[in-house]
Amino acid sequence: NNNKSSASSSAPPANTKVGVLLPDTASSPRWVSADPNELRKQCAANKLTCYIDNANASATTMESQAQALINQGVGVLLVTNLDSGSGKAIESLAKQHNVVTIDYDRLTTGGTAEYYVSYDNVKVGEDQGTALAACPQVAGKSAVGYVDIDGAPTDNNATLFAQGYNSVLSKQAGWTKLGEQTGNWDPATAQTVFTTMLGRHPNLNAVMVANDTMAQSVINVLKSQSLAGKVAVSGQDATAGGLDNVMAGTQCFTIYKPVAGEADVAIKLAGQILSGQKPTAPATIKDPTNAREVPSYLADPTVITKKNVALPVTDGYETAASVCPTPALVKLCSENGIKTP
Amino acid sequence: MTAKTEPAVAEETPVRGPGALRVYIREYVARLRGGELGSAPAIVGLVVITAFFAIVHQGFLSAYNLEALVIQAAPIIVMAMGLVFVLLLGEIDLSAGTTGGLCSAIMAVLLLRHGQSWWVGVLGGLVAGLVIGFVMGWLRARAGIPSFVITLATFLAFQGLTLILIGGQGSVILPTGSPLISLENSFVPLWLGWTLLGIFVAGYAAIKLIDARGRQQSGLAATPIAVIVAKVIGVALLGSAFTYEMGLNRNLITNAFFSSKAQGEPWAVVLLVLLFVIWHFTLSRTRYGRHVYAVGGNEEAARRAGVVVSRIRISVFVICSGMAAISGVVAASLLQSVQSNAGAGNTLLLAVGAAVIGGTSLFGGRGRMIDAVLGGLVVAVIINGMSDLIQGSNSSGYEWVVTGAVLLLAAGFDAVVRHGRST
Amino acid sequence: MTAKTEPAVAEETPVRGPGALRVYIREYVARLRGGELGSAPAIVGLVVITAFFAIVHQGFLSAYNLEALVIQAAPIIVMAMGLVFVLLLGEIDLSAGTTGGLCSAIMAVLLLRHGQSWWVGVLGGLVAGLVIGFVMGWLRARAGIPSFVITLATFLAFQGLTLILIGGQGSVILPTGSPLISLENSFVPLWLGWTLLGIFVAGYAAIKLIDARGRQQSGLAATPIAVIVAKVIGVALLGSAFTYEMGLNRNLITNAFFSSKAQGEPWAVVLLVLLFVIWHFTLSRTRYGRHVYAVGGNEEAARRAGVVVSRIRISVFVICSGMAAISGVVAASLLQSVQSNAGAGNTLLLAVGAAVIGGTSLFGGRGRMIDAVLGGLVVAVIINGMSDLIQGSNSSGYEWVVTGAVLLLAAGFDAVVRHGRST
Amino acid sequence: MKTLELKDVGKSFGPVVALSGVDFSAEAGDVTALVGDNGAGKSTLVKCIGGIHRVDTGEILVDGTPQQLHEPRDAARLGIEIVHQDLALADNLDVVGNMFLGRERVNRLRTLDENTMEKLAAQTLSSLGVRTVRSVRQRVANLSGGQRQTVAIAKSVLWSSKIVILDEPTAALGVAQTEQVLDLVRRLADRGVAVVLVSHNMNDVMQVADSIAVLFLGRMAAQVRRQDVSQTQVVELITSGRSGALGLPAESRGAAQ
Amino acid sequence: MKTLELKDVGKSFGPVVALSGVDFSAEAGDVTALVGDNGAGKSTLVKCIGGIHRVDTGEILVDGTPQQLHEPRDAARLGIEIVHQDLALADNLDVVGNMFLGRERVNRLRTLDENTMEKLAAQTLSSLGVRTVRSVRQRVANLSGGQRQTVAIAKSVLWSSKIVILDEPTAALGVAQTEQVLDLVRRLADRGVAVVLVSHNMNDVMQVADSIAVLFLGRMAAQVRRQDVSQTQVVELITSGRSGALGLPAESRGAAQ
Ligand SMILES: Nc1ncnc2c1ncn2[C@@H]1O[C@H](COP(=O)(O)OP(=O)(O)OP(=O)(O)O)[C@@H](O)[C@H]1O
Ligand SMILES: Nc1ncnc2c1ncn2[C@@H]1O[C@H](COP(=O)(O)OP(=O)(O)OP(=O)(O)O)[C@@H](O)[C@H]1O
Ligand SMILES: [Mg+2]
Ligand SMILES: [Mg+2]
């Protein structure tokens, strides 16, 4: 797994090329700007050349991007798979061409990646569940009816999130699940689904929504029923809209996963690999399909509530301008400690 | 064998009085049996699936759900209305969905990043739609590129542009309280709703009566007054039923503390009716509409008759993209935000499917505005009805399967009624 | 004005010897100028965009990338081949993509959950495809439902079925080392590659010569031997160049530890050539093929001539779905796995786009097998060329935009060459 | 026994009654002319015989046996060959392809025998007096009106049938070509084929017909032997449905020959 | 000065030379017959005048001025009204819609004046002797061959034009309807319109024409006054391109009238 010599004539003797394969633009906005920006920054800091591609949710596209990157002569490939199958195909392709792979954010089960750098997605789900149970709208209630709106079933991470929050919520005393539907990471679907759910269960107290964009849809429906703020709504990704809703009190919390937690680690790791080292990871994760112990770097997520809502902005994860675009929101922002220039 | 007594000659002398009604009904039945079914199959299909969901899904016909259904159907219907024009020419616009997405993104950016007022944003989005339509129409009509390829290219490109515009935020949330949001989320005051209904019914009756008098004065066979009265009463009853049900308070929870009410029809209904009237009128009563049908039916005949075919062709793309822009705005209003993948996915297929289920042909020359409305309602009923039918985190698999099956059933029903109409 | 000396009468007497060649070339040029361009525009378009990417993107024409291009193009081309049949009848199969996905999912499930050997799995997927095609064809031909609606319904339903089959894991991984994976990831031994090329060229030459002799014996104007020789040499040279470049070792990184070689053409190439030959032959030299064109050109004429139109209609859906199943298997081989959203997204649009760019009409009656191959290559070149062109944050947005633009350019080029052909 | 016989045939399209109570017959060796005003129902009658329309009432007998004609194939199987007024050619196929459509010649390997077909097509066309078709490999879309009609006629000539029905076959033909087709009609009848000729040209009708059937507003006004009527009488029948003792609606059923 | 004049017109379709060096003229008040064998190029000539095809060589003059005819609209603007052989009706529109296509009547509110159009359409049809069109609100797809042709002719009658060209207008018409159309042709010419009539029916041609132009294999064999030739001579010109002193290609240019 070392690339001390490279046969590629176009590459300099010491390979500094790192390829990054990102999955899509819909499952989370992070893949569009947060990750590319942070990765690029880290690459520059580590004097590496990074090639960052986004597969637009198509496994075939990712496959062809992988081939193109290998053709470029990258020595390390960061893969955020769309699914484990295509991820594995890419990793074996890379292996065939003697390129080291790192699973970035998503574990390729059954794959051959040398390292796994991520947030712990089951943990994310568990945090969501715990935070929802602590929301003021439901805290201390003896009987709580809630519904789930999951991410796309085609996305393994969505399955992991659901596994996390369901394991927590099912153990909450007095909580009953009134319904579970998938929102497909799509706000329109989420809105349709939740409209019907609310029609059926007008007395529900909490909505376990997998991310912020879908939470927005849920809040839309609640608003039309004057219920916004009276029902606990969860979220994830700390998007600008999500933070707005948290400040407004219509959303109870969101999950903040600073990209730096993954990008910094992954790029540093890549630099070490390219310079010929074989770093030892602090932990391992067991691949559920083949019981392989994958050396892992796992970061912890942060739950964002009204109390610490300014954190993503002060970190630079979101800009104040995008969180507070209108005068009304500027006021709300300053009340919550976000300074707009 | 009684038919023997009726020779196949022209029956030009109009009959009046009660005889006219009998003639009218006889002709109508003969036309029905001859296969000229108009909107009947789509209506029957709509009633059947509505009944189906009303049975399996209690509360499906509640005022609450009816409103949800209407506001969910609005963007589909608006887009389908525009698509009818393109389909009438035997063309396709694969990019209508993403055009809508792009235009709503432009609107959102104007609103939020440039601080413009809502109508500047809407105007910007609409103008963008018109320009897009013009360029695509020009490429089709003048450069001669097949519309499937042009709009496949723009389908991809606009998805990219929307993503670039909305960027890494994933979605842009429209300012709370903006009139834009009201379109799908606020309601027409009750008195205004009833007034508008009155105006609509009166207008309908007036047009029908003026038509009939004109024909009578020209010595042509006119629709009997009895039929007109029946039709007007029918429209008035349907409208009243809808307005009445929409007038009920739909708030699910009311108690001593909360007394806000949700009642009245959504403004989107007014928009839909307005757009329908405009385009229906354009298609059925203007030279332009006649020319659209002619070009769709036989382009060469239209060209020889002096119709400027390329201008018609460009115009339908302009209308389609303009309506797509409006549809995008309505969708944004529904979601109170614009996503970076707005208009992608199945948006377009469902809208085209709506037009086709309504009775519009993909080969050009056959289609009406009402097709878009009825087909759009069918699609919306299916989606709304399905959204809660199957539970579980992997429910979407089953839901897709059942959605497909129901769609097929609705269309199959339609086909059986039409008895082997070929599209 | 020299044309004046050539009256518009039948020129039935065949000319032989060097005169024949002159006549042949003159006729060919006249046909070209008369607008019968055949595959010329698609070929020119392909060359132009290849040149474009070769310039902006160093290494685009390397053996490594050429192989990547071919294996990426394979599933698109196979699906486009099947779609040509459906399009020839003026029908559409929106579900071809998801049919492919479903069939590959069935294959994967047979393989992995039921422990069947690979060929049972492939057979299962293929049979599923044929049955699906039969049902859809039946619904179209006998129940008379528009194909757009049928296949929109199955498009949704099969997406759901695939999701149910594959389940929440997101994908199922094919067993390593299975012959299935070899299809797209292993290579024909060099000696076999050259042998197959030899057989292909010899067969091509034989057919052309037998044809010419047959026509000469029947007293009809035949292609001059010189032209045939030139064509055969052309095919042989192209084939050799490809086989030679594919024979180079493509492993970019070799060192003391790794010395594995990647050389020879992928097996998928053999599959593509085989499928192309079979379907090209079917369309151009069998009664069935003739009937497909006739039904597409004028259904009523075909019906009156005794062609069983409904049988032809069903058969094209069967072929299309069967090919979609094969395409699904090839895609699974490429990704070494089957996704729960296999075949969804843009898969279908790109395949239809490929056929249309190649020159197939969406209105039926016009199209050839080579269209699918050339159009598929154009699409694959664009996707492959784009996949690494733009770097930076939000690159995917820009990539979409540029992909759309390039697609439009390729098609626009084609349109300009054809000079206003209408589709 | 009549080769082709229609009894009390009726056909309506929605409110339009195209045929009602029509009796008609054609005999082997005879040329039976079917005449009538525009919109009288001639083509509808032909389409009913050809299996394109199903009759609403009445029956169609071939060689005395009632037949169910649901598809053009059913008619072809009974040896009925028809050239319809709307020629129905596949514009995207060439002349050869259209002429042999549905009855392509194949060789041993089940592949199309293009050479034989091409030769036969060229021969048939020139036998019909058409000299201006440049190549039988031309698409029919580009042919002139008369050339298209000739291709459609040639198509029906290639097969030996029991009944040949020609619906206004000479409408678009030139003087010489019309001669050739009338000649052909005569020769077919002499060969023992029952030929039905629909035409508006009274000269042609009087020249080749043995029997004349007149449709008037969807009813059979009269079917008479050629020698029993004058051209004026036929024209009268066409325009008014009756002429002297001929063609009273009530009598029309009995009037047929 | 000729109302319509063609000079040295040539037109090829790929390898097919449809017209070459054709001179032709039509005068106001005259019926000019254009005859020729099938595929001689008559319809091509008409389409060139109508702006459907562009000529490759030569020029077209209207009232002595050379005109660029690129679109059917150009021809219409010059007062040229044409009934083409391939009728080109929009099958999805009704009779009224087709008859007024491109020239719909509108009322004050810019909406279609259906009543006026419907009345006019019915009148025109019955003036052409068609009694079997049940309703002018019928789709033309369902009309009989002759009915379709009548609709196409009626369309051209509705407008007062300077030049009316009819390409085989009576091909599908019945006896009575043919009379009506020939009558119409005569009346148009008497009104001072330059009428060009393409026909294969020599009787009709000899009956109404003032001048006869004969195309032979894409060339103008001769254009002569009606009274200078006999029917036999015309037929000879059509079939062989020459007849006695008439119709030698070298002379054809001068031979016109
Ligand atoms: N498919 C149809 N639908 C409705 N009416 C029809 C249809 N086909 C024919 N008709 C009507 O039936 C009548 C008879 O038509 P038909 O074509 O048989 O006339 P025809 O005798 O062949 O006339 P022509 O001499 O003009 O060809 C006409 O009035 C026509 O409009
Ligand atoms: N678009 C075209 N492409 C190729 N050839 C054509 C085209 N149009 C006409 N031709 C050819 O040009 C010649 C003249 O055709 P045209 O239609 O002018 O004949 P015509 O004199 O009208 O014959 P008819 O009496 O049969 O109507 C024919 O040989 C025809 O095949
Ligand atoms: Mg007829
Ligand atoms: Mg002609």
Side-chain angles (χ1 to χ4, degrees), chain D residues 132 142 144-147, chain E residues 13 18 38-44 85 168 200:
Chain D
T132 48
N142 297 335
S144 84
Q147 288 167 342
Chain E
F13 301 101
N38 288 132
K42 303 180 295 297
S43 298
T44 307
Q85 188 175 12
E168 306 199 17
H200 285 300

Side-chain angles (χ1 to χ4, degrees), chain A residues 1-8 10 15 25 31-33 36-37 40 50-57 59-61 63-75 83-90 92-93 95-99 109-111 153-156 159, chain C residues 57-60 62 64-65 67-69 71-72 75 163 167-176 181 185 187 250-260 262 331 334-341 383-384 386-397 399-400:
Chain A
N1 298 9
N2 44 9
N3 291 291
K4 276 172 199 144
S5 67
S6 168
S8 176
S10 57
N15 192 345
T25 57
W31 308 124
V32 181
S33 59
N37 288 341
R40 197 165 302 281
C50 284
Y51 301 93
I52 303 170
D53 287 334
N54 187 307
N56 286 331
T60 3
T61 307
E63 171 86 12
S64 77
Q65 285 169 339
Q67 280 176 324
L69 290 175
I70 293 167
N71 193 22
Q72 287 272 5
V74 298
D83 60 86
S84 290
S86 58
K88 183 188 176 224
I90 287 165
S92 62
L93 177 81
K95 204 178 178 121
Q96 216 178 26
H97 294 285
N98 312 338
V99 175
T109 56
T154 48
D155 178 358
N156 189 43
T159 314
Chain C
H57 179 344
Q58 205 206 351
F60 185 76
S62 67
Y64 172 84
N65 199 51
E67 181 223 313
L69 209 148
I71 65 174
Q72 286 157 17
L163 184 56
Q169 302 140 271
S171 63
V172 171
I173 299 173
L174 298 180
T176 329
I181 292 184
N185 295 289
F187 308 112
R250 289 183 290 279
N251 256 5
L252 300 171
I253 300 173
T254 43
N255 52 30
F257 303 96
F258 298 111
S259 63
S260 72
L334 174 65
L335 297 173
Q336 305 184 15
S337 58
V338 177
Q339 280 63 42
S340 58
N341 63 346
I383 292 179
N384 178 297
M386 286 311 307
S387 65
D388 202 35
L389 198 63
I390 296 165
Q391 296 286 328
S393 92
N394 207 351
S395 64
S396 68
E399 259 175 39
W400 260 326

